[in-house]
């Protein structure tokens, strides 16, 4: 389980199972690196990575153990939401500037920005992919 905290940090919790009628949770890792509040976090389809969206106008990719691996800073306003495509190859970030940007999540492309969707009348608050990654 990943939780966004009000102090710019994200914690990943390991849920270990029932103990005395309650779930036992322990902190697995702390993710820190954004300079303003984090609005959203999402696990990759294979659960090895996490994407965070922040008011600092960036997306970050993290290894689930806590190491920042990629930094995407092409948004012009606060990034509100993020989501991995079901195939794990792209990550979408939406912002308060009415923009949806698609980023390469594999690290293999020469250009990290893979696409943009413009034309929204207001800020984009949520991102969801179809099962076929389209």
């Amino acid at each position: 389980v990943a939780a966004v905290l009000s102090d710019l940090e994200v914690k990943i919790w390991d849920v270990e199972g029932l103990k005395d009628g309650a779930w036992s949770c322990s902190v697995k890792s702390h993710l820190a690196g954004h300079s303003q509040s984090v609005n959203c976090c999402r696990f990759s389809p294979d659960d090895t990575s996490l994407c965070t969206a922040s008011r600092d106008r960036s997306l970050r990719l993290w290894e689930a153990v806590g190491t920042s691996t990629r930094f995407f800073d092409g948004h012009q306003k606060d990034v509100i939401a993020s989501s991995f495509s079901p195939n794990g190859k792209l990550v979408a970030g939406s912002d308060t500037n009415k923009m949806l940007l698609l980023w390469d999540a594999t690290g293999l492309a020469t250009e990290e920005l893979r696409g943009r969707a413009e034309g929204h009348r207001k800020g984009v608050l949520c991102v969801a992919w179809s099962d076929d990654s389209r």
Side-chain angles (χ1 to χ4, degrees):
V1 173
V4 173
L5 307 176
S6 61
D7 63 357
L8 314 182
E9 189 177 74
V10 176
K11 282 188 182 180
I12 298 179
W13 296 86
D14 192 13
V15 180
E16 298 165 355
L18 285 173
K19 182 179 179 183
D20 298 326
W23 290 98
S24 175
C25 300
S26 60
V27 175
K28 183 175 177 180
S29 60
H30 298 265
L31 311 179
H34 285 289
S35 62
Q36 293 190 34
S37 63
V38 179
N39 294 316
C40 179
C41 64
R42 297 279 188 260
F43 278 103
S44 62
D46 64 3
D47 292 329
T48 61
S49 300
L50 190 77
C51 181
T52 55
S54 172
R55 291 192 63 187
D56 66 10
R57 301 177 181 185
S58 74
L59 291 172
R60 284 185 185 262
L61 296 188
W62 309 81
E63 293 177 3
V65 295
T67 306
S68 179
T69 60
R70 309 280 301 286
F71 177 78
F72 305 123
D73 66 348
H75 289 272
Q76 301 300 310
K77 297 274 184 162
D78 301 355
V79 185
I80 300 300
S82 63
S83 182
F84 280 93
S85 61
N87 64 14
K89 294 181 179 180
L90 296 171
V91 64
S94 65
D95 64 35
T96 58
N97 195 37
K98 306 180 263 184
M99 187 70 65
L100 175 70
L101 298 180
L102 305 176
W103 300 94
D104 173 60
T106 66
L108 302 175
T110 56
E111 287 291 323
E112 291 182 327
L113 183 61
R114 305 298 292 165
R116 67 179 61 235
E118 300 178 68
H120 300 93
R121 293 186 315 153
K122 296 197 176 190
V124 183
L125 303 178
C126 185
V127 179
W129 290 83
S130 64
D131 289 339
D132 63 358
S133 295
R134 293 184 156 189

